[in-house]
Amino acid sequence: MIERLKNILEYYNLSSSSFAEKIEVPRSSISHLLSGRNKPSLDFIIKVDKAFDEVDLDWLLYGKGSFPKNKEKSPSLFNQKIVETIKEENNFDIKEKNSYLENSKSKLLIKIVLLYDDGTFEEFNK
């Protein structure tokens, strides 16, 4: 994990003291972590995760994944297909869509919202 912390410092061009300020921990904590004297606490890891959007928690903890992480979390294959279908169908006239829906279920589609497990979402309106 020490190497991953060094990667974060390098990526953001931060000194250990500015990194400490950013995550609101004493400067000595960073020095002790980087020297291998101490191991990071759960509180420390949470602060890093909250302070840096590009840091993936799996990468920070286990070295799995990538850094910096992608801004958009890739949707599952199912969700990706829905998004592609919606984007393709946005070329159709909304009246045609509504007519189709009226005939099939007697309801009008006005909005689709996709919620992702990272708290982000996508909205598709007419």
Side-chain angles (χ1 to χ4, degrees), residues 58 69 72-76 79 114-121:
D58 282 339
K69 72 178 177 181
E72 285 186 28
K73 199 168 189 179
S74 59
S76 70
N79 286 344
L114 299 176
L115 303 174
Y116 297 101
D117 60 356
D118 67 352
T120 61
F121 65 94

Side-chain angles (χ1 to χ4, degrees), residues 58-122:
D58 282 339
W59 174 82
L60 181 61
L61 291 172
Y62 309 110
K64 296 180 180 178
S66 63
F67 174 74
K69 72 178 177 181
N70 296 332
K71 287 285 184 186
E72 285 186 28
K73 199 168 189 179
S74 59
S76 70
L77 184 58
F78 177 74
N79 286 344
Q80 189 172 359
K81 184 64 178 165
I82 291 173
V83 170
E84 288 170 5
T85 302
I86 291 168
K87 287 179 180 177
E88 287 173 11
E89 289 183 355
N90 278 336
N91 295 328
F92 293 105
D93 183 44
I94 191 66
K95 289 179 184 177
E96 290 177 24
K97 287 184 207 175
N98 286 339
S99 174
Y100 169 77
L101 291 171
E102 282 177 12
N103 293 335
S104 62
K105 293 187 179 181
S106 300
K107 294 182 182 181
L108 299 178
L109 177 64
I110 58 169
K111 182 190 293 188
I112 295 175
V113 179
L114 299 176
L115 303 174
Y116 297 101
D117 60 356
D118 67 352
T120 61
F121 65 94
E122 290 183 78

